[in-house]
């Protein structure tokens, strides 16, 4: 069965238009005159959004638990989350078909155009390169080496060029270098005052055609990926950092690469449906507030605590008893098992005792971004690390504090703008979250910057900020930095996480049979304990 992902078939991408597209394929000019715009909007959505499967399956039932940004009530059989991962978890097809299909199709159409028509579509082409870069790093950070330079050629039969149905695996280093080069070219294009004529502003669902924001998005990704490889390839990372200044980057929450929709009627179901189905009597309890995070935030008097979490939650997301404080649920399997055994009723009333993610902020908030690519807070945490390591000019403490300030303000905006019908907390709505007030709070809290502990503090704050909204990015950063120091997750005394934790995903089984020679060349690394190129200790 030839369903091979490198084909990027448009019948998968745009099923409702398949018959018409088949006709269009016989006339490339007709196709290109009307469809690049649609493909771009499709590609942008699939790149940035947190879809339902990502949130339900991977956030609340796997990676969120690994990272202790969420906690599940059940402790028994938790070992299966760590030790029985024998597949790609659907991430391979997600990349080659869902995410990259529309974007690589744009490339092929673009390359058939006249020089004049290319000029018209340059904004789509270079913004598409930024989105491709994002998708590619997301995926190589799951698998390491993978087909890239020879992938996406099957449809060359239509557009011209070599068709390679059994592509080689590129090294992760080569993939990172290629992506960084593409981002540099995209940033140079958007920084060169490109034309804003045409339909880009109408089809750009991320930035509404604002090319300056695309310039900052491209450069902010360059910063992120330079820091990702900085422990293994400091020279390359430094060469990227040398070309960046603070002015080139996303430095305000208004410029965040966050995908918004108009409301529930037009939104992908993503996080909201996943939350409704992840914390209820019928489906189990998977989004308790994790005890380590709650304790850390409580100690610091973190103003995000009540924006992240609420004291307890019924099946509809309502607070059951507002007089109870925000109590975190254990993140260790053995502690959860002990708690359940001691309850006498298998924890049937725990949903009334333990905190969960805030309904107003997340679960019933259709103004919440359906996905976040990168934010100003993360940019400043990257700058703080780079400055602390002598790789970037600037004050590490100032960058660190700015990251926390922007994170608080970011999440308060989510709460303030929520269209949930639940009554909002007046204390949150009236809180002073000005820069000056938050600066003073940080200096008087357990978050106060300490040069000797700077890298751990910075990584921990990044973990707090990325949280559940950017769980895949959070997993990559945890593997890179080994911070924060998570609680030992043990079942029957056996340590499940820390050095025993999952560090990559398996290639899909089809690769061994459909791309055998290239798969065999690197199959010795195909296990969940082989660290990625950049994951050095």
């Amino acid at each position: 069965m030839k369903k091979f992902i490198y084909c990027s078939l448009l019948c998968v991408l745009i099923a409702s238009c398949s018959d018409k597209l088949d006709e269009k394929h016989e006339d490339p000019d007709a196709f290109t005159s009307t469809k690049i715009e649609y493909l771009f909007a499709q590609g942008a959505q699939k790149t940035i959004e947190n879809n339902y499967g990502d949130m339900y399956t991977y956030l609340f039932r796997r990676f969120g638990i690994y990272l202790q940004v969420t906690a599940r009530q059940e402790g028994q059989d938790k070992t299966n989350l760590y030790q029985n991962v024998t597949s790609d978890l659907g991430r391979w097809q997600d990349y080659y078909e869902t995410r990259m299909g529309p974007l690589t199709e744009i490339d092929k159409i673009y390359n058939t155009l006249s020089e004049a028509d290319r000029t018209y579509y340059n904004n789509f082409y270079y913004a598409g390169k930024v989105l491709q870069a994002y998708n590619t790093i997301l995926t190589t950070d799951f698998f390491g080496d993978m087909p890239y330079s020879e992938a996406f050629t099957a449809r060359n039969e239509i557009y011209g060029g070599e068709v390679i149905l059994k592509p080689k695996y590129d090294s992760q280093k080569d993939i990172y270098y290629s992506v960084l080069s593409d981002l540099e070219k995209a940033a140079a294009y958007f920084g060169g005052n490109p034309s804003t004529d045409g339909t880009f502003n109408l089809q750009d669902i991320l930035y509404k055609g604002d090319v300056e924001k695309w310039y900052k998005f491209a450069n902010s990704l360059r910063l992120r990926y330079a820091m990702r490889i900085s422990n293994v390839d400091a020279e390359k990372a430094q060469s990227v950092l040398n070309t960046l200044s603070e002015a080139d980057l996303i430095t305000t929450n208004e410029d965040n690469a966050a995908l918004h929709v108009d409301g529930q009627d037009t939104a992908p179901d993503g996080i909201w449906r996943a939350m409704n189905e992840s914390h209820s009597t019928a489906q189990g309890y998977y989004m308790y507030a994790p005890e380590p995070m709650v304790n850390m935030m409580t100690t610091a008097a973190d103003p995000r605590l009540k924006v992240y979490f609420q004291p307890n939650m019924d099946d509809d997301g309502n607070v059951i008893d507002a007089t109870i404080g925000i109590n975190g649920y254990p993140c260790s399997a053995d502690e959860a098992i002990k708690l359940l055994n001691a309850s006498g009723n298998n924890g049937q009333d725990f949903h009334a005792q333990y905190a969960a993610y805030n309904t107003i902020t997340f679960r019933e908030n259709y103004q919440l971004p359906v996905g976040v690519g990168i934010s100003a807070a993360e940019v400043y945490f990257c700058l703080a690390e780079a400055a602390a390591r002598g790789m970037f000019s600037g004050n590490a403490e100032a960058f660190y504090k700015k990251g926390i300030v922007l994170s608080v303000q970011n999440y308060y905006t989510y709460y303030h703008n929520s269209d949930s019908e639940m009554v909002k907390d007046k204390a949150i709505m009236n809180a002073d979250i000005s820069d000056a007030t938050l600066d003073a709070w940080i200096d008087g809290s357990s978050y106060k910057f300490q040069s000797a502990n700077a890298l751990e503090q910075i990584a921990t704050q990044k973990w707090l900020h990325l949280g559940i909204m950017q769980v895949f990015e959070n997993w990559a950063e945890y593997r890179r930095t080994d911070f924060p120091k998570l609680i030992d997750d043990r079942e029957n005394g056996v340590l499940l996480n820390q050095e025993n934790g999952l560090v990559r995903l398996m290639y899909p089984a089809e690769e061994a049979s459909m791309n055998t020679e290239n798969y065999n060349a690197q199959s010795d690394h195909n296990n969940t304990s082989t660290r990625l190129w950049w994951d050095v200790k």
Side-chain angles (χ1 to χ4, degrees), residues 213-226:
K213 291 182 179 179
W214 278 100
Y215 170 75
K216 292 181 178 181
F217 184 20
N219 280 323
S220 296
L221 290 180
R222 292 176 67 211
L223 170 66
R224 172 196 278 176
Y225 302 146

Side-chain angles (χ1 to χ4, degrees), residues 272-281 284-285 287 306-322 351-352 354-366 415 418 420-424:
W272 312 297
R273 178 183 168 196
M275 284 190 155
N276 285 334
E277 297 180 7
S278 292
H279 209 73
S280 67
T281 304
Y285 297 96
M287 61 178 196
K306 291 185 177 181
V307 173
Y308 279 19
F309 307 117
Q310 62 188 46
N312 35 59
M313 181 182 289
D314 68 14
D315 284 3
D316 296 320
N318 301 294
V319 174
I320 300 169
D321 184 352
H351 62 288
Y354 290 94
Y357 271 92
N358 193 298
T359 295
I360 293 173
T361 308
F362 301 104
R363 181 168 168 171
E364 288 188 2
N365 182 5
Y366 305 108
Y415 188 94
S418 174
S420 171
E421 295 181 356
M422 295 185 176
V423 178
K424 294 178 181 177

Side-chain angles (χ1 to χ4, degrees), residues 264-275:
Q264 184 178 10
D265 292 340
T266 58
D269 52 16
I271 191 169
W272 312 297
R273 178 183 168 196
M275 284 190 155

